[in-house]
């Protein structure tokens, strides 16, 4: 069994994907081919925003957003403590200070209450200027953007949506990557919309920021790439990745539909035994992960080993709170109310199960039967 079976997807759509790739090989426009612009237009339409700017990966996408906002030394950026490293990494990359906040115990997304406390702390006790909030759509469920927007409005902060896991999710009819002042996503192969290498994109309705990001991603170009008017990056999406994504976008909604059904089946079989994902009313997840919670660390680790011995791969996203990462040691604020109770609890108890849109009922049954068996043994 695969944790995320990319081969099943390729096998199901091999003819179209091979043709799209062959087309790029024949055309030999490996950088800046027409597929890149076509993809940007298709993604902007899909999300419902004015601009999509493709780039090299989801981490660069976040960094490009911070660069467009001229966030740097002396600035504070608020980041959930429970997320992938990149969400926090980009803040010191541009010279600003990441200020971590706790997450909600049910959705694992940034806690509005903890966020507000962190903002007040920075205002009262530091010389830093609060500038932006990075809200992550963790495991596929959009963050609580109504509550977060109220806070960013109140304190005059910019809102950056890290939709690396959220692309394809919705709140009501509105799609993820349309909630931030700028939003970003990643096309890493295992993400909801994945390519065959690295890729990412930035989304915004703001013309000026979109222009800046288009410049920053190609060495701060002005009129052309040999006219350099600012220090930028080399962060383009290549034509092959764009061609693959254009094909995959055609069947993406069908995959999202299948993910919803597989998640419902998992939950039906597991809800009485473990804590299953909580999707808030009005929210639609893109199911980047199907993550359960066990009662304690020993049970979680025991279950993971038990499943591994039975050739069922699982993953712990994430075993360590961001503020505990050695890389952030020099960046921390002097005092704070860390560790955060919810983040710490999640790091000890979460387990992500095999999940992808091509998963068959037999496989779901095998996973859930083994979980039931393990819990009977340790029960
Ligand atoms: C994967 C991921 C990223 C980074 O994306 P890359 O394309 O791997 O650079 C950023 N944030 C979150 C929440 C992610 O899951």
């Amino acid at each position: 069994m695969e944790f995320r079976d990319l081969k099943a997807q390729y096998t199901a759509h091999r003819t179209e994907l091979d043709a799209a790739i062959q087309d790029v090989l024949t055309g030999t426009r490996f950088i800046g081919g027409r597929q890149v612009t076509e993809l940007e237009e298709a993604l902007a339409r899909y999300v419902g925003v004015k601009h999509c700017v493709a780039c090299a990966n989801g981490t660069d996408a976040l960094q490009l957003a911070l660069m467009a906002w001229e966030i740097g030394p002396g600035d504070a950026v608020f980041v959930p403590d429970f997320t992938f490293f990149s969400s926090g990494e980009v803040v010191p990359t541009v010279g600003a200070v990441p200020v971590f906040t706790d997450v909600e115990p049910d959705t694992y997304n940034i806690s509005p209450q903890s966020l507000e406390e962190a903002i007040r702390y920075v205002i009262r006790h530091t010389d830093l200027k609060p500038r932006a909030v990075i809200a992550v759509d963790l495991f596929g469920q959009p963050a609580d953007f109504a509550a977060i927007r109220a806070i960013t409005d109140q304190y005059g902060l910019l809102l950056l949506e890290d939709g690396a896991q959220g692309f394809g999710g919705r709140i009501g009819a509105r799609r993820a990557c349309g909630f931030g002042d700028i939003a970003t996503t990643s096309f890493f192969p295992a993400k909801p919309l994945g390519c065959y290498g690295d890729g990412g994109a930035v989304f915004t309705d703001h013309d000026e920021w979109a222009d800046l990001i288009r410049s920053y991603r190609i060495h701060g170009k002005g009129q052309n790439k040999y006219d350099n008017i600012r220090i930028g990056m080399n962060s383009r999406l290549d034509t092959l990745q764009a061609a693959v994504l254009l094909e995959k976008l055609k069947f993406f909604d069908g995959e999202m539909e299948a993910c919803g059904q597989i998640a419902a089946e998992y939950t039906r079989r597991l809800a009485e035994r473990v804590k299953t994902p909580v999707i808030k009313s009005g929210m639609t997840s893109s199911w980047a992960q199907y993550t359960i919670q066990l009662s304690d660390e020993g049970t979680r680790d025991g279950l993971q080993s038990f499943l591994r011995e039975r050739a069922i791969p699982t993953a712990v996203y994430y075993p360590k709170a961001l503020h505990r990462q050695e890389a952030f040691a020099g960046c921390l604020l002097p005092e704070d109310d860390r560790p955060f109770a919810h983040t710490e609890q999640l790091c000890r108890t979460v387990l992500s199960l095999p999940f992808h849109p091509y998963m068959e009922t037999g496989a779901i049954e095998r996973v859930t039967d083994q979980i039931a068996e393990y819990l009977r043994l340790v029960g």
Side-chain angles (χ1 to χ4, degrees):
M1 187 180 303
E2 301 271 340
F3 184 69
R4 194 167 185 98
D5 193 345
L6 298 174
K7 204 179 262 180
Q9 184 196 53
Y10 177 61
T11 309
H13 298 281
R14 184 173 186 152
T15 317
E16 314 97 273
L17 286 164
D18 282 357
I21 290 167
Q22 190 56 52
D23 204 28
V24 179
L25 298 183
T26 315
T28 65
R29 280 289 307 274
F30 297 116
I31 295 288
R34 64 167 172 81
Q35 289 90 337
V36 179
T37 323
E38 276 177 35
L39 177 72
E40 289 178 333
E41 285 164 7
L43 291 174
R45 241 187 342 264
Y46 186 87
V47 169
V49 295
K50 212 164 153 191
H51 305 281
C52 168
V53 186
C55 65
N57 57 70
T59 310
D60 281 4
L62 290 165
Q63 186 181 333
L64 285 163
L66 298 181
M67 288 168 79
W69 289 339
E70 294 182 48
I71 286 176
D75 293 336
V77 177
F78 301 88
V79 182
D81 205 17
F82 188 68
T83 174
F84 181 61
F85 185 63
S86 286
S87 316
E89 180 182 26
V90 292
V91 179
T93 300
V94 299
V97 176
V99 181
F100 296 108
T101 77
D102 205 357
V103 296
E104 297 280 24
D106 279 350
T107 63
Y108 316 151
N109 280 327
I110 191 166
S111 151
Q113 189 197 326
S114 178
L115 170 62
E116 189 154 17
E117 283 166 14
I119 297 167
R120 286 165 182 271
Y121 178 87
V122 167
I123 293 170
R124 268 203 216 111
H125 299 287
T126 76
D127 295 330
L128 296 170
K129 187 172 178 345
R131 290 289 310 280
V133 175
I134 300 181
V136 181
D137 301 332
L138 203 75
F139 301 157
Q141 175 163 219
D144 183 355
F145 285 103
I148 298 159
R149 181 58 83 183
I151 296 170
T152 55
D153 280 352
Q154 185 185 341
Y155 292 92
L157 307 181
L158 292 158
L159 178 52
L160 176 51
E161 176 184 3
D162 179 352
Q165 302 179 14
F167 190 87
R170 280 179 281 129
I171 302 179
R174 286 185 61 195
R175 290 193 195 272
C177 293
F179 299 111
D181 295 309
I182 296 180
T184 62
T185 198
S186 162
F187 304 123
F188 182 81
K191 307 281 178 173
L193 180 62
C195 60
Y196 288 167
D198 277 309
V202 184
F203 300 87
T204 187
D205 279 324
H206 198 289
D207 299 340
E208 208 175 303
W209 295 336
D211 283 345
L212 276 170
I213 289 165
R214 287 192 184 101
S215 165
Y216 278 125
R217 80 171 158 174
I218 306 181
H219 307 290
K221 78 180 176 78
Q223 293 303 315
N224 60 64
K225 80 173 182 179
Y226 303 106
D227 174 33
N228 308 96
I229 57 176
R230 51 180 70 87
I231 299 299
M233 301 166 71
N234 174 17
S235 186
R236 293 168 299 227
L237 182 77
D238 64 66
T239 312
L240 272 171
Q241 302 309 336
V244 167
L245 288 166
L246 272 171
E247 280 311 314
K248 286 202 184 185
L249 196 58
K250 293 179 187 163
F251 51 83
F252 182 66
D253 280 342
E255 290 189 339
M256 285 290 102
E257 187 89 24
C259 284
Q261 284 163 11
I262 290 160
E265 184 62 20
Y266 256 136
T267 298
R268 192 178 68 76
R269 290 166 178 272
L270 289 173
E272 279 169 23
R273 296 192 168 87
V274 297
K275 181 162 173 179
T276 49
V278 176
I279 306 301
K280 292 280 179 178
S281 144
M283 299 271 184
T284 305
S285 178
S286 64
W287 295 106
Q289 300 296 338
Y290 186 92
T291 303
I292 59 170
Q293 257 181 278
L294 286 305
S295 53
D296 56 68
E297 191 168 18
T299 308
R300 191 269 310 270
D301 292 350
L303 174 59
Q304 184 168 38
S305 308
F306 184 88
L307 294 175
R308 189 184 304 123
E309 283 158 21
R310 283 151 189 81
I312 297 174
T314 59
V316 175
Y317 300 124
Y318 297 91
K320 207 188 225 183
L322 280 200
H323 83 271
R324 289 190 185 280
Q325 296 289 355
E326 196 179 332
F328 289 125
C331 303
L332 294 183
L333 290 167
E335 38 175 319
D336 207 331
D337 59 349
R338 288 180 297 258
F340 297 118
H342 298 147
T343 294
E344 297 294 326
Q345 173 71 7
L346 291 171
C347 291
R348 285 192 292 265
T349 58
V350 289
L351 190 66
S352 299
L353 303 181
F355 194 97
H356 55 86
Y358 300 87
M359 198 164 178
E360 286 170 3
T361 312
I364 302 172
E365 204 173 297
R366 243 181 80 209
V367 176
T368 56
D369 283 354
Q370 293 303 324
I371 292 173
E373 174 68 11
Y374 172 78
L375 292 172
R376 241 191 323 272
L377 287 170
V378 300

PDB file of all heavy atoms in Angstrom, residues 89 106 198 247 260 284 325:
ATOM      1  N   GLU A  89       9.790  29.465   7.900  1.00  0.00           N
ATOM      2  CA  GLU A  89      11.150  29.650   7.377  1.00  0.00           C
ATOM      3  C   GLU A  89      11.314  30.947   6.582  1.00  0.00           C
ATOM      4  O   GLU A  89      12.333  31.630   6.664  1.00  0.00           O
ATOM      5  CB  GLU A  89      11.490  28.460   6.463  1.00  0.00           C
ATOM      6  CG  GLU A  89      12.868  28.500   5.848  1.00  0.00           C
ATOM      7  CD  GLU A  89      13.099  27.305   4.922  1.00  0.00           C
ATOM      8  OE1 GLU A  89      12.130  26.751   4.381  1.00  0.00           O
ATOM      9  OE2 GLU A  89      14.269  26.933   4.755  1.00  0.00           O
ATOM     10  N   ASP A 106      -9.438  21.409  17.210  1.00  0.00           N
ATOM     11  CA  ASP A 106     -10.245  20.582  16.306  1.00  0.00           C
ATOM     12  C   ASP A 106      -9.777  20.658  14.856  1.00  0.00           C
ATOM     13  O   ASP A 106      -9.647  19.655  14.187  1.00  0.00           O
ATOM     14  CB  ASP A 106     -11.707  21.037  16.343  1.00  0.00           C
ATOM     15  CG  ASP A 106     -12.427  20.454  17.541  1.00  0.00           C
ATOM     16  OD1 ASP A 106     -11.846  19.568  18.201  1.00  0.00           O
ATOM     17  OD2 ASP A 106     -13.563  20.884  17.804  1.00  0.00           O
ATOM     18  N   ASP A 198       9.059  20.176  -8.660  1.00  0.00           N
ATOM     19  CA  ASP A 198       8.667  21.270  -7.776  1.00  0.00           C
ATOM     20  C   ASP A 198       7.897  22.326  -8.555  1.00  0.00           C
ATOM     21  O   ASP A 198       8.153  22.546  -9.743  1.00  0.00           O
ATOM     22  CB  ASP A 198       9.914  21.915  -7.153  1.00  0.00           C
ATOM     23  CG  ASP A 198      10.411  21.158  -5.923  1.00  0.00           C
ATOM     24  OD1 ASP A 198       9.575  20.904  -5.023  1.00  0.00           O
ATOM     25  OD2 ASP A 198      11.601  20.830  -5.859  1.00  0.00           O
ATOM     26  N   GLU A 247      -3.047  19.532 -17.593  1.00  0.00           N
ATOM     27  CA  GLU A 247      -3.787  18.276 -17.785  1.00  0.00           C
ATOM     28  C   GLU A 247      -4.472  17.847 -16.500  1.00  0.00           C
ATOM     29  O   GLU A 247      -5.629  17.456 -16.495  1.00  0.00           O
ATOM     30  CB  GLU A 247      -2.848  17.157 -18.265  1.00  0.00           C
ATOM     31  CG  GLU A 247      -2.527  17.198 -19.738  1.00  0.00           C
ATOM     32  CD  GLU A 247      -3.754  17.347 -20.625  1.00  0.00           C
ATOM     33  OE1 GLU A 247      -4.752  16.626 -20.400  1.00  0.00           O
ATOM     34  OE2 GLU A 247      -3.727  18.179 -21.539  1.00  0.00           O
ATOM     35  N   GLY A 260     -13.454  13.379  -0.992  1.00  0.00           N
ATOM     36  CA  GLY A 260     -14.537  13.581  -0.033  1.00  0.00           C
ATOM     37  C   GLY A 260     -15.198  12.264   0.343  1.00  0.00           C
ATOM     38  O   GLY A 260     -15.504  12.008   1.514  1.00  0.00           O
ATOM     39  N   THR A 284     -15.115  23.069   3.038  1.00  0.00           N
ATOM     40  CA  THR A 284     -14.840  21.862   2.260  1.00  0.00           C
ATOM     41  C   THR A 284     -13.334  21.676   2.229  1.00  0.00           C
ATOM     42  O   THR A 284     -12.602  22.600   1.871  1.00  0.00           O
ATOM     43  CB  THR A 284     -15.363  22.011   0.817  1.00  0.00           C
ATOM     44  OG1 THR A 284     -16.755  22.355   0.884  1.00  0.00           O
ATOM     45  CG2 THR A 284     -15.212  20.713   0.041  1.00  0.00           C
ATOM     46  N   GLN A 325      12.014  24.106  16.713  1.00  0.00           N
ATOM     47  CA  GLN A 325      13.022  23.798  15.696  1.00  0.00           C
ATOM     48  C   GLN A 325      14.281  24.618  15.968  1.00  0.00           C
ATOM     49  O   GLN A 325      14.203  25.829  16.185  1.00  0.00           O
ATOM     50  CB  GLN A 325      12.493  24.123  14.283  1.00  0.00           C
ATOM     51  CG  GLN A 325      11.295  23.291  13.859  1.00  0.00           C
ATOM     52  CD  GLN A 325      11.642  21.841  13.569  1.00  0.00           C
ATOM     53  OE1 GLN A 325      12.806  21.444  13.592  1.00  0.00           O
ATOM     54  NE2 GLN A 325      10.619  21.040  13.307  1.00  0.00           N
TER      55      GLN A 325
END
